[in-house]
Amino acid sequence: MPQKDIENVNNRLALIVIGAFILTLIAGGLTLWQKRQASKAETEVEPATVPIESPTIIEYNGNDKNDGSKELTEQRKTDLGVDKGLDLIVKADESVKIGDTVVPMKEILERIKLKRGDILESDLKQNGTTDVMLPSNESAKDAYGIYIVRSGDNIWNVHFQFLKDFFAKRGVSLSPTSDEMASNGRSSGIGKILKFSENMVYIYNLRDHRLDIDLDTIHPLTKIVVFDMGQVFALLDQISYDEVNRIQFDGETLWVPAKQ
């Protein structure tokens, strides 16, 4: 075979080998790419969506409309044994809606906690001993009473109305003057309870999202009084009305002296 023909054959064989090599590389690369894509798809499976439940909103309508919030509030009042002294009963994981304003109770409770510096426990000394008080009513735990501030309200009367309602539900009718000082100038037992209870309720300004120090309002439905029902019931459940006038109060603690 002529030398020239031999060179042509060798060139063709070289081209065939190179072509085959290139095709092998392409096929291998394509296979590797497909495997990587499959692996990536497996690791990128979209996680199952967990629905986030919206907190329950307890709404104050200011009327007799029998909606869900009103029905729930009435049931909670019945469970607690309260009535006229409160407008709403709200749980810590719920939100309260007054007028057009919606505020989570957690926001209000965080501000209360910051003001108190810590979670406080009230106590009532019985016969010289001090016991941590726990509410006997399970419905009172983690429950907060809400009173909507009206024009002309004062904090003493708000407390007194709640206390009258509390005792009325237990068959005791408080005199309209039972919170006034006795003839000797000393506070009555009811007056001492009211004074002590000032440390157990808070005024919240819905408009400014802050705690307030008074009930003065310019705009309606902008302030609420928040009762910690657990603390309130822990105190009141330990007080027998027969011993109300024996209660002592030193500015911080209530106690009933031991009988002689």
Side-chain angles (χ1 to χ4, degrees):
M1 180 180 292
Q3 184 66 32
K4 187 174 180 179
D5 291 339
I6 293 174
E7 290 178 355
N8 288 336
V9 171
N10 290 337
N11 288 338
R12 288 174 183 173
L13 288 173
L15 289 174
I16 292 172
V17 171
I18 293 172
F21 179 72
I22 292 174
L23 289 175
T24 302
L25 288 178
I26 293 174
L30 181 60
T31 301
L32 181 60
W33 179 81
Q34 289 175 335
K35 288 182 178 179
R36 288 181 176 177
Q37 288 298 108
S39 177
K40 184 178 179 181
E42 290 177 0
T43 59
E44 291 183 353
V45 173
E46 185 175 348
T49 302
V50 179
I52 300 175
E53 297 183 1
S54 299
T56 301
I57 297 177
I58 308 300
E59 182 176 0
Y60 173 76
N61 292 312
N63 54 42
D64 293 328
K65 181 181 177 181
N66 189 20
D67 58 10
S69 292
K70 182 177 177 61
E71 183 178 349
L72 180 58
T73 292
E74 292 305 315
Q75 181 59 55
R76 288 177 175 178
K77 285 184 177 181
T78 299
D79 293 341
L80 287 169
V82 297
D83 188 12
K84 299 176 182 178
L86 298 172
D87 294 303
L88 301 172
I89 306 293
V90 185
K91 296 293 186 177
D93 59 351
E94 297 173 340
S95 293
V96 57
K97 181 177 182 181
I98 311 295
D100 296 327
T101 304
V102 178
V103 180
M105 277 304 300
K106 288 183 179 178
E107 175 184 317
I108 298 175
L109 298 178
E110 278 299 314
R111 297 189 184 282
I112 290 175
K113 183 177 178 181
L114 287 173
K115 181 175 181 179
R116 294 191 301 192
D118 200 352
I119 299 176
L120 300 183
E121 293 179 332
S122 302
D123 56 42
L124 174 67
K125 293 181 180 178
Q126 291 281 6
N127 299 330
T129 63
T130 303
D131 298 314
V132 175
M133 296 190 302
L134 297 174
S136 59
N137 189 329
E138 288 290 327
S139 300
K141 296 178 181 178
D142 199 34
Y144 297 86
I146 304 294
Y147 174 81
I148 315 299
V149 177
R150 280 79 165 171
S151 178
D153 276 339
N154 67 69
I155 195 66
W156 184 273
N157 288 342
V158 171
H159 290 184
F160 189 31
Q161 179 58 53
F162 174 83
L163 200 60
K164 286 193 292 185
D165 181 57
F166 176 88
F167 278 109
K169 284 290 186 177
R170 288 148 185 82
V172 177
S173 178
L174 295 185
S175 163
T177 60
S178 59
D179 61 325
E180 297 179 3
M181 289 188 176
S183 56
N184 59 7
R186 294 183 178 181
S187 296
S188 64
I190 295 298
K192 292 171 184 175
I193 294 174
L194 290 172
K195 191 66 178 176
F196 177 77
S197 68
E198 289 181 355
N199 299 318
M200 300 170 66
V201 299
Y202 294 86
I203 303 166
Y204 188 78
N205 189 316
L206 298 166
R207 191 182 181 89
D208 298 330
H209 292 269
R210 61 178 174 82
L211 293 178
D212 222 327
I213 59 174
D214 59 55
L215 300 188
D216 295 339
T217 59
I218 298 176
H219 304 280
L221 305 179
T222 57
K223 290 186 180 182
I224 59 176
V225 178
V226 182
F227 292 75
D228 183 331
M229 302 306 290
Q231 284 190 329
V232 169
F233 274 77
L235 168 68
L236 297 181
D237 283 346
Q238 295 192 45
I239 297 176
S240 168
Y241 182 72
D242 295 335
E243 294 188 321
V244 161
N245 290 324
R246 297 181 57 245
I247 288 176
Q248 300 296 313
F249 178 54
D250 62 7
E252 294 183 1
T253 307
L254 286 177
W255 74 93
V256 178
K259 293 182 178 180
Q260 301 297 326

